[in-house]
Amino acid sequence: MLKFANLTSNIHVFWFLIIFSTLSSCLSTNATDYAALMAFKSNLVLQKDSILSTNWTSTTHFCSWFGISCFNQRVTKLQLSGLALEGKVSSYIANMSQLVEVDLSSNKLGGILPSELGFLKQLRILNVTKNSLQGTIPSNLSQCEHLQELHLSYNFISGNIPGKLGLLSNLRFLGISYSNLTGEVPASLGNFSKLETFSLVENDLFGEIPEELGKLTSLRQIHLRGNNFAGSIPHSIFNISRLERLTDLGLAENDLNGYIPNEFGRLLNLQYFEFESNRVSGGIPYGLFNITSLQVVKTTRNYLSGELPHDLGNRLPNLEEISLSHNQFSGELPSSICNATKLLYLQVENNSFHSSVPMTLGKLEKLEVLNLQFNLLVNNPRSIYLDFLNSLVNCKNLQYLVIDSNPLNGVLPESIGNLSSNLKVFAAVSCELMGSTPYGLGNLSSLNSLELSINDLQGKVPSSLGSLQNLERIYLSGNQLGFIPAELCSIKILGTLDLGENRFSGSIPECFQNLTELRGISLDANNFNSFIPVGFWDLVKLEGLDLSRNNLHGMVPTELGNLKALYIMDLSFNNFSGEIPNSVGNLQNLLALDMSHNKLQGPIPNSLSNLIVIESLNLSSNGLSGGIPASLGSLRDLKDINLSFNMLQGEIPQKGVFTNITYQDLMGNPKLCGAPNLNFPLCSSQASGRRKRRTTLLVLKITIPIAAAFLLISMCISFVILSRERQAKNQTESDSLHVGHQIITYHELVRATQSFSESNLLGKGSSGMVYKGKLSDGSFVAIKVFNMQYARALKNFDAECEVLSNVRHRNFVKIITTCSNLEFKAMVLEFMPNGSLDKWLYSESTCLRLEQRLDILIDVAMAMEYLHHEYTVPIVHCDLKPSNVLLDEDMMAHVADFGIAKILA
Ligand SMILES: *[C@@H]1O[C@H](CO)[C@@H](O)[C@H](O)[C@H]1NC(C)=O
Ligand SMILES: *[C@@H]1O[C@H](CO)[C@@H](O)[C@H](O)[C@H]1NC(C)=O
Ligand SMILES: *[C@@H]1O[C@H](CO)[C@@H](O)[C@H](O)[C@H]1NC(C)=O
Ligand SMILES: *[C@@H]1O[C@H](CO)[C@@H](O)[C@H](O)[C@H]1NC(C)=O
Ligand SMILES: *[C@@H]1O[C@H](CO)[C@@H](O)[C@H](O)[C@H]1NC(C)=O
Ligand SMILES: *[C@@H]1O[C@H](CO)[C@@H](O)[C@H](O)[C@H]1NC(C)=O
Ligand SMILES: *[C@@H]1O[C@H](CO)[C@@H](O)[C@H](O)[C@H]1NC(C)=O
Ligand SMILES: *[C@@H]1O[C@H](CO)[C@@H](O)[C@H](O)[C@H]1NC(C)=O
């Protein structure tokens, strides 16, 4: 008997197991995996041609499906990276209990990370980088005890980092960068004894960086840039001797006591030292120069000062990048830097280095970028030629050579033509260069930008430049150059040609018309003395045209209107004559137009008022006549106008730019009138104009009121009729609509408003806050919570309760219930979806139709009539204003806020 009982109970257990096994992942089989994969697939939004649509079919065993790896017929890897998958991550994924790796990175998955992932006891790698996942990090992940790599970066994951994650003692990689994490870094992360990479770049984390980080003795990389940490660098970090990369620590400004700690020198395996834009001052800790493994030293944009060690290059032989830009370093640019022969980037711009430029830079054979601009570097005093450029000939990969704004004071060597054929930018603006421009420049076949402005270069622009078919920008302004070779016109892609402030004379070369890609051309302050060549007006891509300060003459042709892309045009200080062509109005992108100091005649074209974005207009010192077009006053962006010294006459417009105009902008036009405050006489037509206006005003003053009164009376009559009807209906309606006094507990209010959260706040007033709440039955209510700090608020509560609980009228906000104890007083009111009237009246985005306005008017009037006459005792609202008139979903008005109402009894 006993045996039998045992047997039946065993049979029960057996059945239980069978049933349980289909339900539970713990006892899952390959059938479970199949079902889980199907569930996973069904949660995705797949295109027809997606590989999962075509490949994951029941005709083949799931172990041969794309992206699936199996062991013993069980799924161990799910690798579906970069398939543009959309949809959600199914929680059924957790039923594949043998999963070791899940890689869903670089897709478009949304939704949340299912907390069931915690059931995957075998999981080693979870990679969901680059998706659109939201929600928080499931703290259940802490149960994946074998997890080694957790890649969650580039999502919208928010919330705190769960402290429980500290249980993942096998974790080697933790990457949650470029996300929306908040809160502090939990100290429990100090338990990751095997962690090698710790990356939380660009989140909203704050608080202090926990000292416990120093316990992570396996750490090689820490990336914390782009957070709001406070406090200082935890010194325990300097004990992590294996550390290779410690990029910016994301400490908010000025929280480093202003200095980079000396202890950095203890990190003897450091490869990357990055400290950009941290506002630190002082020097680079000297110990850092003992770390021979350093590859990258970047301290761009700080206030660092002092000198670099003279043997820098010998101490840091592995340097690949040194970027010290935008600091206050001074002293020598150590020539030993040339011994750091692995260097690719040498960037020391915007400092105060004031030695001579090292002569052996050519030892840096791998150099790609050399930027020395804005320092006080000089040339080797023994030579007039810039010989360091000779040496750079060895740097076959050099692409950027920027030495602007140093007092080099020398001559460019002809050997410059032997510089790297990869050179893209050569910039030596404001370097006190003398002599001629080397012909050899024409060998630099990759050159894209040649910048030699503000020097003392003489002679010709080398004709060899014509062979540089990659050249897009030439800046030669501010030199003593005297001849433009025709070859320049064969640079097909030339976009910018700046030849201003030189000694060019004669005709503007006709061949410029071949430069069809030209966007900007400056020929200002030379001695050109021709017409503008006709072909010039076909350069339709021109955005900037500066021909000012020459001796150009002739008419400005009507073809000017072709240059529709122009936004700056300066023709000032020339001898142009004739009229301003009407076609100027076609230049609708023009921001600034200067035609001053010429011999232009005729009227100011009305078409100027088509220049709808123009900010500055200067037509001064010409012979323009006629009136000032009043339409100029309608140009909204026009801030500057100068019309002085012409022969203009008539009335000065009043609007727009003319409201602020000064005498200087109009002087020298003796026949202008209409601005007595600027010493221009009143116009004769103005005086009579005023009289006329006065009579029309008088007529209007009489007729408008009559018409309005008539309208009002007829409206009133119809309203009275209408309102009687409505009133009759109301009485029944309002009674049936009246909600009985529900009982709502404090806790329900807390739940309804998500703990009175900011996002539910509808408004703030003197007596308290109003929240939107969702009750358990799904209905919305407004909850007015009274501020208990103010005795007046309590009075308001009582007054409002008394009034609202007794009035019976549809044009008042209905009270549903109150919730009141010693510490808390709130009133639950009907929710008004359309908000308050003042929002509708004063916001740009909303607009009430006339009939809506009338309806609201009537509603409010009815409410007042009820209060004053129909209620048992008269009540005065005392605070009737648009913000206290609320609108329901049908835009019916309800008067609210009886906090200071007076009951006249
Ligand atoms: C599960 O595995 C068994 C035996 O290994 C096999 O016969 C069966 O077809 C598999 N089922 C599925 C759904 O792959
Ligand atoms: C599915 O993809 C896998 C891996 O790319 C391939 O071996 C298999 O033949 C494909 N099956 C089908 C039915 O296309
Ligand atoms: C995780 O995904 C990212 C993005 O696709 C990829 O760069 C990275 O190598 C992946 N890591 C692992 C361990 O698979
Ligand atoms: C999340 O962070 C991104 C930038 O990392 C930001 O553009 C976005 O507004 C943030 N979203 C939220 C909801 O905070
Ligand atoms: C750097 O190394 C030198 C010896 O090579 C040593 O004398 C000096 O104390 C070290 N400096 C620092 C700050 O560690
Ligand atoms: C470069 O290194 C060599 C050998 O270590 C040394 O003799 C030389 O002085 C160094 N050059 C400079 C400019 O420091
Ligand atoms: C300009 O173009 C015309 C026609 O394409 C050509 O005949 C002329 O030689 C070119 N001029 C220069 C200087 O390249
Ligand atoms: C006039 O000048 C005042 C003060 O400089 C400025 O705020 C205002 O915008 C100007 N008005 C116009 C129309 O330029």
Side-chain angles (χ1 to χ4, degrees):
M1 193 62 203
L2 200 70
K3 254 191 186 168
F4 182 67
N6 254 343
L7 188 64
T8 49
S9 81
N10 277 344
I11 288 171
H12 282 139
V13 168
F14 175 72
W15 280 112
F16 176 72
L17 278 182
I18 285 188
I19 293 165
F20 189 66
S21 68
T22 60
L23 293 174
S24 153
S25 59
C26 301
L27 298 168
S28 61
T29 65
N30 57 355
T32 329
D33 285 6
Y34 175 73
L37 285 172
M38 292 313 282
F40 174 77
K41 182 178 165 187
S42 72
N43 264 271
L44 302 175
V45 183
L46 295 175
Q47 308 300 326
K48 274 211 187 76
D49 55 349
S50 158
I51 179 124
L52 295 203
S53 303
T54 57
N55 188 290
W56 282 27
T57 57
S58 51
T59 53
T60 51
H61 191 275
F62 63 79
C63 284
S64 64
W65 286 355
F66 178 85
I68 306 288
S69 306
C70 285
F71 181 72
N72 280 343
Q73 302 249 357
R74 298 298 310 280
V75 179
T76 53
K77 291 186 183 176
L78 187 59
Q79 290 165 310
L80 300 172
S81 178
L83 299 177
L85 299 177
E86 290 177 54
K88 294 182 176 163
V89 182
S90 165
S91 56
Y92 278 86
I93 197 173
N95 285 0
M96 296 184 264
S97 57
Q98 301 301 310
L99 270 176
V100 173
E101 177 175 345
V102 174
D103 184 357
L104 302 174
S105 62
S106 302
N107 283 300
K108 297 176 182 168
L109 297 168
I112 58 164
L113 266 185
S115 65
E116 288 83 353
L117 284 171
F119 296 138
L120 295 172
K121 297 284 183 247
Q122 305 300 326
L123 198 63
R124 305 282 198 283
I125 298 177
L126 176 61
N127 192 350
V128 294
T129 306
K130 295 188 183 160
N131 278 289
S132 301
L133 295 169
Q134 300 169 349
T136 54
I137 304 172
S139 63
N140 276 2
L141 275 181
S142 61
Q143 296 167 20
C144 304
E145 50 192 309
H146 293 296
L147 200 62
Q148 294 173 357
E149 298 187 18
L150 183 56
H151 303 257
L152 308 181
S153 300
Y154 296 100
N155 279 292
F156 302 107
I157 294 174
S158 54
N160 296 346
I161 302 174
K164 272 194 185 173
L165 283 192
L167 296 173
L168 296 170
S169 56
N170 288 305
L171 209 60
R172 293 215 200 100
F173 184 102
L174 176 67
I176 323 176
S177 292
Y178 302 96
S179 209
N180 297 73
L181 298 176
T182 54
E184 305 196 3
V185 176
S188 64
L189 299 197
N191 297 343
F192 293 145
S193 55
K194 297 182 183 162
L195 200 68
E196 293 172 8
T197 302
F198 185 64
S199 177
L200 298 172
V201 172
E202 298 285 345
N203 279 288
D204 296 317
L205 296 165
F206 49 80
E208 299 205 352
I209 300 175
E211 191 75 26
E212 283 80 359
L213 223 53
K215 290 202 264 170
L216 308 184
T217 49
S218 304
L219 263 188
R220 289 165 188 272
Q221 304 193 12
I222 302 181
H223 307 275
L224 298 175
R225 178 169 51 80
N227 284 290
N228 297 305
F229 294 123
S232 50
I233 300 179
H235 278 225
S236 60
I237 284 185
F238 301 116
N239 295 337
I240 311 176
S241 55
R242 289 197 196 179
L243 211 56
E244 292 165 0
R245 295 191 185 201
L246 178 60
T247 57
D248 304 319
L249 288 171
L251 293 165
E253 330 176 333
N254 294 328
D255 282 327
L256 288 171
N257 294 327
Y259 298 97
I260 301 179
N262 253 325
E263 284 90 337
F264 269 102
R266 291 183 7 215
L267 300 173
L268 289 177
N269 286 302
L270 208 60
Q271 294 170 4
Y272 283 67
F273 177 78
E274 294 183 21
F275 235 92
E276 293 181 90
S277 307
N278 271 309
R279 298 177 181 240
V280 286
S281 50
I284 295 184
Y286 208 74
L288 206 74
F289 299 111
N290 277 1
I291 305 177
T292 51
S293 54
L294 270 182
Q295 294 170 9
V296 172
V297 175
K298 262 194 198 174
T299 67
T300 310
R301 291 179 201 279
N302 284 293
Y303 304 120
L304 295 169
S305 56
E307 302 196 1
L308 300 178
H310 69 93
D311 53 354
L312 172 78
N314 290 42
R315 284 159 165 255
L316 303 179
N318 291 307
L319 265 190
E320 290 173 10
E321 168 165 6
I322 181 160
S323 297
L324 309 178
S325 324
H326 296 271
N327 280 290
Q328 295 158 11
F329 290 110
S330 57
E332 184 195 13
L333 180 64
S335 54
S336 69
I337 195 93
C338 307
N339 274 347
T341 53
K342 294 182 181 169
L343 215 53
L344 302 172
Y345 301 89
L346 173 54
Q347 299 176 301
V348 298
E349 70 267 23
N350 295 69
N351 280 291
S352 301
F353 289 112
H354 53 76
S355 58
S356 56
V357 181
M359 297 297 292
T360 49
L361 284 170
K363 283 163 75 180
L364 305 174
E365 289 187 9
K366 295 187 171 169
L367 200 63
E368 292 176 11
V369 174
L370 176 62
N371 193 340
L372 307 178
Q373 75 179 342
F374 291 101
N375 277 290
L376 300 165
L377 297 168
V378 296
N379 187 31
N380 177 357
R382 268 168 288 171
S383 170
I384 183 97
Y385 288 100
L386 302 184
D387 287 331
F388 71 91
L389 292 174
N390 282 336
S391 139
L392 283 172
V393 164
N394 294 326
C395 309
K396 291 296 174 211
N397 296 320
L398 195 62
Q399 293 177 23
Y400 295 87
L401 174 53
V402 180
I403 55 176
D404 295 338
S405 296
N406 281 291
L408 292 171
N409 196 274
V411 177
L412 291 174
E414 194 56 46
S415 65
I416 204 164
N418 300 332
L419 284 173
S420 153
S421 58
N422 292 313
L423 198 67
K424 293 199 175 76
V425 175
F426 176 49
V429 175
S430 195
C431 286
E432 302 177 13
L433 300 180
M434 306 176 293
S436 59
T437 322
Y439 191 83
L441 281 172
N443 291 346
L444 303 174
S445 55
S446 299
L447 204 63
N448 179 265
S449 189
L450 176 64
E451 305 170 24
L452 298 173
S453 298
I454 318 181
N455 282 296
D456 262 321
L457 296 171
Q458 298 183 346
K460 299 179 182 179
V461 176
S463 59
S464 60
L465 294 187
S467 55
L468 297 178
Q469 289 305 314
N470 290 306
L471 201 55
E472 279 184 69
R473 288 179 286 271
I474 298 180
Y475 298 92
L476 294 173
S477 59
N479 281 291
Q480 314 277 344
L481 298 167
F483 180 75
I484 302 175
E487 285 83 352
L488 218 54
C489 301
S490 58
I491 309 177
K492 291 203 184 60
I493 64 166
L494 196 64
T496 303
L497 181 58
D498 180 7
L499 301 175
E501 297 181 56
N502 275 290
R503 296 190 171 174
F504 300 116
S505 57
S507 304
I508 293 180
E510 298 258 351
C511 74
F512 277 174
Q513 72 187 71
N514 287 16
L515 296 172
T516 52
E517 294 300 311
L518 217 51
R519 282 159 207 277
I521 183 165
S522 300
L523 303 175
D524 58 297
N526 281 290
N527 283 314
F528 291 112
N529 57 5
S530 61
F531 297 95
I532 299 178
V534 184
F536 224 79
W537 308 111
D538 295 330
L539 299 174
V540 292
K541 294 191 177 169
L542 268 189
E543 294 169 4
L545 172 62
D546 187 355
L547 302 177
S548 62
R549 293 168 207 271
N550 280 289
N551 286 311
L552 296 168
H553 52 85
M555 310 256 280
V556 179
T558 188
E559 285 81 0
L560 167 79
N562 294 349
L563 305 184
K564 294 204 168 58
L566 266 191
Y567 60 85
I568 290 178
M569 176 156 76
D570 192 348
L571 304 180
S572 61
F573 291 94
N574 279 292
N575 290 315
F576 292 117
S577 54
E579 297 193 1
I580 300 176
N582 255 318
S583 61
V584 73
N586 294 353
L587 309 180
Q588 302 227 329
N589 291 312
L590 215 53
L591 295 176
L593 174 61
D594 192 345
M595 295 185 152
S596 64
H597 297 270
N598 278 292
K599 295 181 174 151
L600 298 169
Q601 292 173 332
I604 297 178
N606 256 316
S607 64
L608 281 176
S609 61
N610 295 340
L611 305 180
I612 47 175
V613 294
I614 198 162
E615 294 173 2
S616 165
L617 176 64
N618 191 348
L619 302 176
S620 64
S621 300
N622 278 291
L624 299 171
S625 53
I628 302 176
S631 55
L632 291 182
S634 62
L635 291 169
R636 246 190 16 198
D637 296 326
L638 190 56
K639 301 268 162 16
D640 269 319
I641 189 167
N642 190 344
L643 304 174
S644 59
F645 298 104
N646 278 291
M647 285 146 46
L648 299 168
Q649 58 186 35
E651 188 171 352
I652 299 166
Q654 311 280 331
K655 292 208 191 109
V657 68
F658 296 101
T659 53
N660 271 357
I661 200 160
T662 65
Y663 179 66
Q664 279 71 20
D665 296 330
L666 294 171
M667 64 200 232
N669 291 291
K671 290 188 181 159
L672 284 177
C673 64
N677 55 330
L678 300 178
N679 288 332
F680 289 98
L682 266 183
C683 304
S684 54
S685 64
Q686 241 170 348
S688 62
R690 265 190 201 176
R691 226 172 298 128
K692 222 195 245 164
R693 229 178 290 147
R694 217 172 293 151
T695 39
T696 32
L697 259 178
L698 198 66
V699 172
L700 286 178
K701 268 185 189 163
I702 295 168
T703 51
I704 288 181
I706 293 177
F710 182 72
L711 203 76
L712 252 172
I713 291 168
S714 55
M715 279 193 326
C716 284
I717 294 173
S718 47
F719 292 164
V720 169
I721 297 170
L722 199 94
S723 61
R724 283 290 137 85
E725 283 169 15
R726 278 168 58 150
Q727 219 173 342
K729 244 195 270 162
N730 292 346
Q731 229 68 43
T732 52
E733 244 174 50
S734 67
D735 284 339
S736 63
L737 274 176
H738 179 72
V739 191
H741 279 207
Q742 268 169 266
I743 293 181
I744 299 179
T745 64
Y746 173 72
H747 293 290
E748 187 159 1
L749 292 186
V750 171
R751 195 159 354 110
T753 57
Q754 294 168 309
S755 310
F756 302 106
S757 76
E758 196 80 20
S759 59
N760 286 19
L761 194 63
L762 292 174
K764 268 183 205 176
S766 55
S767 56
M769 314 271 207
V770 183
Y771 295 90
K772 179 180 177 179
K774 189 180 183 186
L775 298 181
S776 48
D777 63 3
S779 61
F780 287 103
V781 291
I783 300 165
K784 183 166 181 178
V785 180
F786 286 76
N787 188 342
M788 305 296 286
Q789 250 87 65
Y790 296 106
R792 218 188 61 214
L794 299 183
K795 260 199 204 151
N796 291 351
F797 178 75
D798 293 335
E800 195 154 6
C801 272
E802 168 145 16
V803 176
L804 279 183
S805 54
N806 290 315
V807 295
R808 294 267 185 287
H809 192 279
R810 67 170 201 163
N811 292 121
F812 291 107
V813 173
K814 261 179 220 70
I815 185 164
I816 295 169
T817 187
T818 60
C819 176
S820 160
N821 60 35
L822 278 180
E823 289 102 26
F824 181 81
K825 289 202 191 309
M827 202 176 274
V828 181
L829 302 163
E830 211 181 358
F831 177 62
M832 296 286 149
N834 276 320
S836 66
L837 177 60
D838 68 335
K839 291 217 187 83
W840 285 82
L841 291 179
Y842 304 128
S843 117
E844 300 261 352
S845 54
T846 56
C847 181
L848 288 169
R849 293 192 308 275
L850 179 65
E851 84 236 39
Q852 285 178 316
R853 285 168 193 256
L854 286 175
D855 281 342
I856 291 168
L857 220 83
I858 296 166
D859 287 337
V860 174
M862 303 265 280
M864 287 306 118
E865 201 229 13
Y866 174 85
L867 271 194
H868 298 171
H869 303 296
E870 297 195 37
Y871 189 57
T872 40
V873 288
I875 297 174
V876 186
H877 184 282
C878 291
D879 200 15
L880 187 63
K881 57 187 178 186
S883 59
N884 283 339
V885 175
L886 305 178
L887 300 169
D888 67 14
E889 63 216 308
D890 299 316
M891 296 299 285
M892 192 201 281
H894 300 252
V895 175
D897 206 342
F898 285 80
I900 58 172
K902 293 263 182 319
I903 300 170
L904 305 179

